[in-house]
């Protein structure tokens, strides 16, 4: 959907559901809500940046994995993989919808300590119980399959080459937005500057133009700006923008087989990108919260940390050339690195869809579906997402996800 598919003014002064944020999560929720047989109301998606130049979705590396430490996150990604690879079926057989596949080079987690190996074993047990095809590999087994790694310091590896790898997020994103719009969802280019409450509920939003639009329910799908949106109703939300840097590069000596998305103990990760090109990602050791419009690169990080880590792990990558680089943001939940979903306990028509901590793109199908179920039915009909509800934040009881990249 090009930017001009957004309207500049809402056609109505009241909507049943307003979604603040029209990127991946907002689009998913809007589309899945049109799928709900119990819902026939009006939906308004409001986004301050219809070009998506300053959102997490627009700077993604577009990968999916099942190697999480919590069973619910494994199931969420399993639905995501099924949805992606059966997109046309899920979207009613529309012949404009492409047939997609996941490029299954897999994720290779490498542990260089016994504690790290124990963490891989614990997560592996969770994943296997949920039907994932994760395999634990000794260094000798890793070397047999991927002889380009230097493994002298490695204790254990974990890999899954089924439904783990790259996928075409833009195709899914475009289909959701186009279909939602054709089903009557309005996408409005505007900035929400206030959320107005009364009688224990959200009553309306105020736009930068001064216009007020009433709503029955409101979804905070603001990505790295989630805390700004929550603050409009007096909620302290532990979600902050954290910078994540990406580089694509070519190698003087390309590998003779696909490179899994390798999660190195150094904190750097790297993977296959094109036939003879690769992608790397990292963050600074300090990793502070940043302003939501700060996308400036750290030019020292590549030379001081990222390239040395890559060349150490894959000596064949001693001679590589950067082709492109950019910075994006994780919407990091600093409390427990897991999503925050569902209604606020004291403001029941204010719903969270926030804090995905780098997992949002792959979790969008399940999270959009679940949020739509709650909006339409007041409960979840498929995956139970209540462990992600805000109550755990207020109670100080984390629902921790340890497999963060």
């Amino acid at each position: 959907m090009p930017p001009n598919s957004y309207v500049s003014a809402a056609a109505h002064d009241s909507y049943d559901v307003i979604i603040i944020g029209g990127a991946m999560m907002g689009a998913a929720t809007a589309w899945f809500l049109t799928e709900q047989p119990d819902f026939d109301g009006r939906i308004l998606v409001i986004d301050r940046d219809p070009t998506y130049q300053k959102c997490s979705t627009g700077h993604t590396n577009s990968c999916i994995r099942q190697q999480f430490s919590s069973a619910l996150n494994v199931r969420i990604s399993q639905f995501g993989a099924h949805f992606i690879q059966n997109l046309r079926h899920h979207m009613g057989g529309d012949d404009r919808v492409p047939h997609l596949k996941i490029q299954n080079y897999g994720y290779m987690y490498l542990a260089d300590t016994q504690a790290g190996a124990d963490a891989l074993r614990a997560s592996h047990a969770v994943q296997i119980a949920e039907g994932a095809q994760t395999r634990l590999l000794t260094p000798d087994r890793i070397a047999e399959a991927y002889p380009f790694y230097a493994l002298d310091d490695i204790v254990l590896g974990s890999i899954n080459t089924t439904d783990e790898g790259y996928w075409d997020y833009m195709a899914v994103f475009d289909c959701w937005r186009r279909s939602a719009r054709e089903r009557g969802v309005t996408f409005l280019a505007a900035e929400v500057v206030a959320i107005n409450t009364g009688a224990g509920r959200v009553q309306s939003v105020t736009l930068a133009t001064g216009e007020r639009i009433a709503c029955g329910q409101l979804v905070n799908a603001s990505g790295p700006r989630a805390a700004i949106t929550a603050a409009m109703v007096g909620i302290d939300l532990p979600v902050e923008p954290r910078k994540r840097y990406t580089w694509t590069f070519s190698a003087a000596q390309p590998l003779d087989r696909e490179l899994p998305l390798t999660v190195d103990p150094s904190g750097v990760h790297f993977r296959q990108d094109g036939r003879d090109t690769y992608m790397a990602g990292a963050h600074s050791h300090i990793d502070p919260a940043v302003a939501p419009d700060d996308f400036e690169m750290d030019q020292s990080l590549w030379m001081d940390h990222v390239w040395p880590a890559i060349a150490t792990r894959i000596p064949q990558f001693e001679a590589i050339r950067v082709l492109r680089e950019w910075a994006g943001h994780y919407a990091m939940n600093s409390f427990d690195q897991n999503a925050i979903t569902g209604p606020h306990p004291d403001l029941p028509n204010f719903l969270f869809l926030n804090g995905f901590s780098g997992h949002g793109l792959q979790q969008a199908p399940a999270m959009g579906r679940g949020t739509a179920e709650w909006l339409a039915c007041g409960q979840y009909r498929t995956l139970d997402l209540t462990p992600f509800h805000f109550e755990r934040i207020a109670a100080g009881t984390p629902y921790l996800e340890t497999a963060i990249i």
Side-chain angles (χ1 to χ4, degrees):
M1 184 190 298
N4 61 10
S5 295
Y6 274 76
V7 298
S8 58
H12 306 281
D13 59 9
S14 178
Y15 288 81
D16 296 278
V17 174
I18 289 179
I19 301 169
I20 302 178
M24 202 70 173
M25 283 296 169
T29 301
W31 183 79
F32 275 103
L33 194 49
T34 68
E35 288 279 288
Q36 289 295 314
D38 297 325
F39 182 85
D40 61 358
R42 291 198 295 254
I43 305 166
L44 178 66
V45 179
I46 305 175
D47 203 297
R48 65 193 300 277
D49 176 26
T51 67
Y52 305 111
Q53 292 181 0
K54 294 186 176 182
C55 69
S56 293
T57 297
H59 299 87
T60 180
N61 292 349
S62 194
C63 292
I64 189 168
R65 61 183 165 103
Q66 296 177 44
Q67 291 186 72
F68 288 95
S69 65
S70 70
L72 182 52
N73 279 332
V74 177
R75 292 195 292 270
I76 286 168
S77 282
Q78 287 172 336
F79 174 70
H82 184 275
F83 187 89
I84 291 162
Q85 296 180 109
N86 296 275
L87 183 62
R88 182 176 292 186
H89 168 75
H90 283 292
M91 303 201 72
D94 186 342
D95 60 13
R96 296 172 298 175
V97 175
H99 294 292
L100 300 182
K101 291 295 180 185
I102 295 169
Q103 185 179 346
N104 287 304
Y105 43 66
Y107 277 61
M108 174 71 80
Y109 283 80
L110 298 175
D112 63 352
T113 64
Q114 285 299 331
D118 289 344
L120 291 183
R121 293 186 185 100
S123 293
H124 174 261
V126 171
Q127 295 151 21
I128 292 299
E130 294 303 324
Q133 303 300 305
T134 312
R135 294 171 287 137
L136 295 176
L137 302 179
T138 63
D140 287 347
R141 295 292 302 277
I142 298 171
E144 288 176 11
Y146 303 100
F148 46 76
Y149 288 125
L151 298 167
D152 289 348
D153 61 330
I154 295 303
V155 177
L156 191 67
S158 175
I159 191 168
N160 177 11
T161 54
T162 301
D163 294 341
E164 286 203 354
Y166 169 84
W167 58 286
D168 186 353
Y169 85 93
M170 186 54 75
V172 178
F173 189 30
D174 284 345
C175 288
W176 277 339
R177 290 179 295 161
R178 181 184 65 224
S179 178
R181 191 164 170 266
E182 290 173 351
R183 294 175 177 190
V185 176
T186 299
F187 288 78
L188 173 66
E191 182 174 5
V192 174
V193 295
I195 300 172
N196 312 297
T197 62
R201 297 179 63 83
V202 172
Q203 301 292 337
S204 64
V205 300
T206 301
L207 306 182
T209 60
E211 179 185 4
R212 278 199 180 198
I213 304 175
C215 63
Q217 300 185 84
L218 185 141
V219 180
N220 178 0
S222 305
R225 293 179 174 270
I228 297 173
T229 300
M232 294 180 188
V233 291
I235 296 169
D236 184 13
L237 191 67
V239 176
E240 55 193 30
R242 298 279 188 90
K243 231 184 245 191
R244 294 296 179 268
Y245 301 94
T246 300
W247 299 263
T248 60
F249 62 93
S250 60
Q253 299 181 63
L255 304 176
D256 65 354
R257 64 201 71 191
E258 283 191 331
L259 173 62
L261 195 154
T262 304
V263 185
D264 193 71
S266 65
V268 177
H269 59 88
F270 35 91
R271 67 164 173 87
Q272 197 78 27
D273 188 46
R275 187 180 66 179
D276 295 316
T277 58
Y278 307 92
M279 178 180 286
H283 59 82
S284 67
H285 290 298
I286 302 172
D287 196 24
V290 299
D293 57 355
D294 177 2
F295 294 92
E296 184 178 353
M297 288 294 293
D298 178 349
Q299 298 299 337
S300 68
L301 190 58
W302 173 263
M303 290 300 296
D304 294 347
H305 179 51
V306 178
W307 175 53
I310 295 171
T312 298
R313 186 60 59 203
I314 304 179
Q316 198 169 323
F317 282 171
E318 177 68 27
I320 58 180
R321 180 167 64 92
V322 173
L323 304 174
R324 186 174 170 233
E325 61 183 17
W326 67 90
H329 292 156
Y330 275 9
M332 181 65 78
N333 173 3
S334 60
F335 180 68
D336 60 11
Q337 294 79 59
N338 247 323
I340 303 170
T341 65
H344 189 275
D346 299 324
L347 201 62
N349 67 337
F350 182 96
L351 275 72
F352 301 96
L353 196 55
N354 309 119
F356 293 94
S357 305
H359 315 141
L361 208 73
Q362 62 188 292
Q363 294 189 333
M367 294 299 188
R369 179 185 64 174
T371 302
E373 290 169 352
W374 192 278
L375 289 165
C377 311
Q379 62 180 343
Y380 299 115
R381 297 285 180 86
T382 50
L383 286 175
D384 181 8
L385 303 180
T386 53
F388 295 135
H389 280 199
F390 184 85
E391 282 85 345
R392 79 184 195 277
I393 310 293
T397 308
Y399 183 62
L400 191 64
E401 175 56 58
T402 61
I404 301 296
I405 299 175

